[in-house]
Amino acid sequence: MTRSLSFSLPVTVVILAIAYIYFSTVFIFIDRWFGLMSSPGLLNATVFTGVALMCVFNYTISVFRDPGQVPSTYMPDVEDSGNPIHEIKRKGGDLRYCQKCSHYKPARAHHCRVCKRCVLRMDHHCIWINNCVGHANYKVFFIFVVYAVMACFYSLVLLIGSLTYDPEKDEEQTGDSFRTAYVISGLLLVPLCVALSVLLGWHIYLILQNKTTIEYHEGVRAMWLAEKGGQIYSHPYDLGAYENLTMVLGPNPCSWALPASGHIGSGLRFRTAYDYASAASMSE
């Protein structure tokens, strides 16, 4: 399911940054280090182009794919024995109901004030894709970040290598335009490598815990309340690291690096640790 897109300055900035880094890497860094038409130059240009294309492809899907909308007819079934998890309000204990959207919210769904609607398994609203990161586009967003990290570090290595390969020759041949390109690229790549690496590490942690960013912050509070009451809090959707990984990336490791999402389901119900506990008790 796709959505319409209006002009977004952050998205425009991302597109321009990707284009600038790509052309600088291929036509300046690789060309000056190896020679673009040499075998090493062609190999590096081909590999970098492949990574860049996957980065752009997944970014485009992240921007245009609807993150998952709660059906207007959704109604929680509290008598469903197959669904032991029903999230309730902090105050009153009622089932979660969105006053702004005028319908009940499934587990893990939240209302986005920017998009002005409820989003299934909402992680956060990202200005850089002008979209929410939710149930339907979380995997492609994660894959985009992976490829973006690879591309930035690859470009940074090529930048440094092209500077250190032959300093004397480089000093003689480098004009002001090339110097400017190197400075701008360095100012882009170093912060991007740091920021995207932190973002990637954060989402790897969340995936292995089967949490969203919102659930992480809610879990901190829930853990504090549980400890205060002498209890132990455990995240109900934590199925173990590998199972958590397959919940997001899919059961087939060969498709983990691809934006395939046929495994994600409706987003209205998710497997929980209680499902495994009840299945184990029935088998005994």
Side-chain angles (χ1 to χ4, degrees):
M1 186 178 189
T2 59
R3 65 189 192 99
S4 58
L5 181 68
S6 57
F7 174 78
S8 169
L9 180 59
V11 171
T12 304
V13 170
V14 171
I15 294 171
L16 291 175
I18 291 174
Y20 185 86
I21 290 172
Y22 175 77
F23 284 104
S24 296
T25 301
V26 174
F27 297 106
I28 298 179
F29 309 154
I30 293 177
D31 188 38
R32 292 178 63 77
W33 190 0
F34 303 106
L36 191 56
M37 301 313 296
S38 67
S39 296
L42 286 172
L43 178 61
N44 278 278
T46 301
V47 173
F48 186 79
T49 299
V51 174
L53 285 175
M54 288 302 294
C55 182
V56 171
F57 181 58
N58 284 281
Y59 179 74
T60 303
I61 297 176
S62 299
V63 172
F64 283 100
R65 180 174 289 177
D66 192 292
Q69 188 170 357
V70 179
S72 58
T73 57
Y74 172 77
M75 180 68 67
D77 185 2
V78 294
E79 296 182 355
D80 181 11
S81 59
N83 186 13
I85 295 292
H86 292 285
E87 294 180 354
I88 59 175
K89 296 180 180 178
R90 292 177 184 174
K91 297 180 180 179
D94 298 325
L95 291 172
R96 297 165 68 236
Y97 186 85
C98 182
Q99 299 292 343
K100 296 176 181 177
C101 296
S102 300
H103 59 59
Y104 286 98
K105 291 188 287 188
R108 315 186 83 176
H110 296 273
H111 186 87
C112 176
R113 288 175 291 182
V114 180
C115 296
K116 295 182 173 57
R117 62 175 178 143
C118 289
V119 176
L120 296 172
R121 196 186 180 273
M122 179 178 173
D123 187 88
H124 68 288
H125 184 90
C126 179
I127 64 169
W128 301 109
I129 64 172
N130 193 32
N131 195 7
C132 271
V133 178
H135 175 67
N137 67 346
Y138 182 81
K139 179 186 176 181
V140 290
F141 173 80
F142 176 75
I143 296 174
F144 157 66
V145 175
V146 171
Y147 282 114
V149 169
M150 291 171 58
C152 286
F153 274 101
Y154 195 174
S155 180
L156 187 60
V157 169
L158 291 170
L159 183 155
I160 295 171
S162 66
L163 283 175
T164 58
Y165 178 64
D166 191 351
E168 294 182 3
K169 182 181 177 181
D170 184 75
E171 189 67 29
E172 294 174 0
Q173 295 183 353
T174 300
D176 291 338
S177 60
F178 276 1
R179 289 195 187 94
T180 302
Y182 274 97
V183 170
I184 294 175
S185 297
L187 292 175
L188 277 174
L189 287 170
V190 173
L192 281 174
C193 285
V194 174
L196 289 173
S197 296
V198 171
L199 182 64
L200 178 61
W202 170 245
H203 280 284
I204 289 174
Y205 165 78
L206 291 177
I207 288 174
L208 294 178
Q209 298 289 319
N210 201 357
K211 293 180 181 179
T212 64
T213 300
I214 294 174
E215 288 169 352
Y216 169 81
H217 293 291
E218 289 180 340
V220 171
R221 183 178 184 275
M223 188 179 300
W224 176 78
L225 290 173
E227 291 178 353
K228 189 176 179 181
Q231 299 175 333
I232 298 176
Y233 170 79
S234 60
H235 184 56
Y237 301 103
D238 186 359
L239 309 177
Y242 184 76
E243 284 294 325
N244 294 340
L245 195 64
T246 59
M247 288 285 288
V248 174
L249 301 182
N252 184 4
C254 295
S255 67
W256 284 1
L258 302 174
S261 57
H263 63 283
I264 62 175
S266 66
L268 300 176
R269 185 186 186 281
F270 297 89
R271 284 187 292 160
T272 69
Y274 301 107
D275 296 331
Y276 287 82
S278 61
S281 63
M282 290 177 63
S283 63
E284 292 179 355

